Amino acid sequence: AQSVTQPDIHITVSEGASLELRCNYSYGATPYLFWYVQSPGQGLQLLLKYFSGDTLVQGIKGFEAEFKRSQSSFNLRKPSVHWSDAAEYFCAVGASGGFKTIFGAGTRLFVKA
Amino acid sequence: SQTIHQWPATLVQPVGSPLSLECTVEGTSNPNLYWYRQAAGRGLQLLFYSVGIGQISSEVPQNLSASRPQDRQFILSSKKLLLSDSGFYLCAWGDTGKQYFGPGTRLTVT
């Protein structure tokens, strides 16, 4: 069965420090992979997506993610975190030509001054 | 450009009361539409999706139902709310390539 695991429920980083949010997936074929961000009380916004090709994908707001097939991972990174990055981050997986997207439980990011 | 609306933004309802949440999309035709629920501290749970008028797929058996009376309108309903129905309800359109989310409805069942 398809699933997405985000091992960290919450992470705290200092402003200006680097960030890595972990995501592991279980999928029968090459999946579509996504990272979404949710500010408190808001809907979700797409940060970046991977369909095929270069395994390092760039997204909005300075985020990037790397697809590692051997590890079934799609970790999100940012070299320098800003206070405005505090939010909840969701990793998700979908199928080519399909309708459903499976979301992880989310990782809440706290940024300290 | 495409826009997705949800209302109401917040709702407090007693146990056993009915529910109707509405979602409408502008700027696109024949969208795939989705209802998700986000409970406190949990991820997004897909409740229903629709690929066309009158076509509803249910992902989780429960006391909720969905309807799509018009191409760009998606309604989430319940005849009798349970305490466990509390949560943040998100409507979205798109497909597995990308989904666009509405602002959400915060439902508290008391």
Side-chain angles (χ1 to χ4, degrees):
Chain A
Q2 305 125 6
S3 66
V4 178
T5 301
Q6 294 181 246
D8 304 304
I9 296 173
H10 54 80
I11 282 181
T12 301
V13 300
S14 298
E15 191 170 17
S18 62
L19 170 71
E20 182 168 26
L21 302 183
R22 296 182 291 164
C23 172
N24 293 96
Y25 66 90
S26 174
Y27 207 77
T30 300
Y32 287 176
L33 294 162
F34 310 86
W35 276 99
Y36 285 84
V37 61
Q38 184 183 33
S39 297
Q42 303 291 319
L44 276 70
Q45 180 185 23
L46 181 69
L47 282 177
L48 49 78
K49 60 186 177 183
Y50 171 79
F51 287 175
S52 65
D54 192 346
T55 56
L56 183 64
V57 294
Q58 302 297 321
I60 61 171
K61 305 184 180 186
F63 286 91
E64 66 178 27
E66 186 171 14
F67 170 55
K68 293 186 177 180
R69 184 189 303 275
S70 61
Q71 299 177 21
S72 297
S73 69
F74 189 57
N75 294 349
L76 182 71
R77 300 194 293 249
K78 187 170 185 178
S80 177
V81 169
H82 188 263
W83 64 267
S84 60
D85 293 324
E88 187 148 24
Y89 292 81
F90 293 92
C91 182
V93 62
S96 169
F99 300 110
K100 295 190 290 184
T101 300
I102 308 298
F103 287 83
T107 297
R108 181 162 294 280
L109 172 65
F110 298 95
V111 180
K112 60 182 181 181
Chain B
S1 63
Q2 302 89 359
T3 309
I4 181 167
H5 302 280
Q6 283 187 249
W7 63 91
T10 60
L11 190 61
V12 180
Q13 292 283 96
V15 169
S17 64
L19 172 73
S20 180
L21 302 181
E22 189 164 343
C23 169
T24 58
V25 180
E26 296 176 356
T28 185
S29 298
N30 195 31
N32 298 326
L33 296 171
Y34 304 82
W35 277 113
Y36 291 90
R37 177 170 60 201
Q38 186 177 19
R42 301 178 65 179
L44 273 70
Q45 179 186 36
L46 179 62
L47 302 176
F48 302 94
Y49 69 94
S50 171
V51 301
I53 296 175
Q55 300 178 63
I56 309 294
S57 296
S58 174
E59 289 297 300
V60 183
Q62 56 210 330
N63 70 317
L64 298 173
S65 62
S67 62
R68 185 169 177 174
Q70 299 181 47
D71 181 42
R72 289 170 287 179
Q73 183 185 29
F74 204 24
I75 298 172
L76 183 69
S77 304
S78 174
K79 292 182 180 179
K80 289 186 176 182
L81 283 168
L82 306 172
L83 285 175
S84 58
D85 291 324
S86 292
F88 192 52
Y89 288 81
L90 288 161
C91 181
W93 74 272
D95 55 32
T96 52
K98 183 175 180 178
Q99 295 200 349
Y100 301 86
F101 287 83
T105 295
R106 173 75 59 192
L107 171 65
T108 303
V109 182
T110 61

